[in-house]
Amino acid sequence: PAPPAGRDAPLVPVLEATRGAAAVLLGGRLGGGAGLVVGSCTAGAARARTAWVSRLLLAFWFYHLRVAEADRAAVGQVGTSATLRRWYAYGLLFLGLAFLLFGARSVLQQVLVLLVDGRQTIVFGGLIPASLATMLTGLGLWGFHFRWTSREPLRSDDRGSTLRAAEGFLVLAGSVALTLVGASQLLYYMLARALGIQHPGGVSDNLLAALAGPGSTVVVFGLAWVWTRRGLAADAGATEAARQAG
């Protein structure tokens, strides 16, 4: 017999909890691995324990995801079940993209500082390994759920969803705000130096190093701004075309 239509309701918090915990642990694992590559060393027992718990949580998450997918294929997914699935999918899309963008921003900033300031060096176990781990964890988390929600029939079912639009507009609003803040900081530093202020905002003598932070913010979140805006416009156009055709 087909499984009851609401059976996947309790699976959604299980999926969110296990996937989120696995992402955090995996981020720590990647941070330790990246630090090891550049010379940092952590306790081998701690790395092994983190790797084992991450694998266990990912296996637990994958099992419940397969159960939810089997139920959806058997009886469909409408109403409350579809809403719960959207809370899970778009909540983790937002979380994964936040990890990805902030991690990428931090990595880019540290790389730019290394390029323009010869006195700076990579500190073993410092910001670059941690930021790289955050970026890669976010990329995996966001990439999986973006690909999953882009498949049919989920894509067509969710195109007019309020939760899908809310996630997109939250990303857009955050990207616009951070891009404008970064751009204002860039202009402030450059105008202050042009007016003869040697240490605007208390920054060091190396203006290029000071510009690395706001510059990387503008680049990363500016790209997110453009990409998210195009995605929202495409969804709106497809929804309107379907409404007119209907």
Side-chain angles (χ1 to χ4, degrees):
R7 195 180 83 169
D8 58 343
L11 296 179
V12 174
V14 173
L15 286 169
E16 292 205 21
T18 53
R19 183 66 169 180
V24 172
L25 286 171
L26 186 59
R29 172 66 176 168
L30 289 173
L36 187 63
V37 169
V38 297
S40 173
C41 56
T42 56
R47 292 200 305 271
R49 182 169 59 252
T50 301
W52 166 248
V53 175
S54 299
R55 292 190 188 101
L56 186 63
L57 286 172
L58 286 173
F60 192 60
W61 165 82
F62 184 71
Y63 166 75
H64 283 85
L65 181 66
R66 290 295 298 272
V67 171
E69 284 286 282
D71 286 357
R72 185 187 64 79
V75 299
Q77 201 172 53
V78 295
T80 303
S81 295
T83 300
L84 287 171
R85 191 255 308 155
R86 291 180 185 123
W87 273 108
Y88 161 75
Y90 294 108
L92 286 183
L93 266 174
F94 181 82
L95 178 64
L97 188 59
F99 275 34
L100 172 61
L101 293 177
F102 281 102
R105 182 256 182 204
S106 185
V107 169
L108 180 58
Q109 178 184 0
Q110 296 303 314
V111 170
L112 290 175
V113 169
L114 289 173
L115 290 175
V116 300
D117 190 349
R119 298 171 297 177
Q120 298 291 329
T121 58
I122 297 178
V123 178
F124 299 149
L127 287 177
I128 288 185
S131 301
L132 186 60
T134 300
M135 184 183 71
L136 292 177
T137 301
L139 178 61
L141 186 63
W142 173 82
F144 174 85
H145 290 88
F146 178 77
R147 185 173 180 181
W148 182 47
T149 55
S150 297
R151 297 182 307 172
E152 297 293 346
L154 296 184
R155 182 178 179 85
S156 297
D157 291 345
D158 292 353
R159 184 169 282 125
S161 167
T162 301
L163 287 172
R164 179 183 174 95
E167 184 267 340
F169 279 109
L170 280 174
V171 173
L172 181 63
S175 299
V176 170
L178 289 170
T179 301
L180 294 178
V181 168
S184 68
Q185 288 180 323
L186 282 174
L187 289 174
Y188 167 72
Y189 288 144
M190 290 188 293
L191 288 175
R193 182 58 65 88
L195 293 174
I197 301 176
Q198 293 300 316
H199 303 283
V203 301
S204 64
D205 294 331
N206 193 334
L207 181 61
L208 292 178
L211 294 177
S216 59
T217 299
V218 170
V219 170
V220 172
F221 289 97
L223 290 174
W225 176 358
V226 173
W227 178 81
T228 305
R229 183 176 178 277
R230 288 182 178 178
L232 289 171
D235 282 352
T239 302
E240 180 64 19
R243 187 186 66 81
Q244 292 180 358

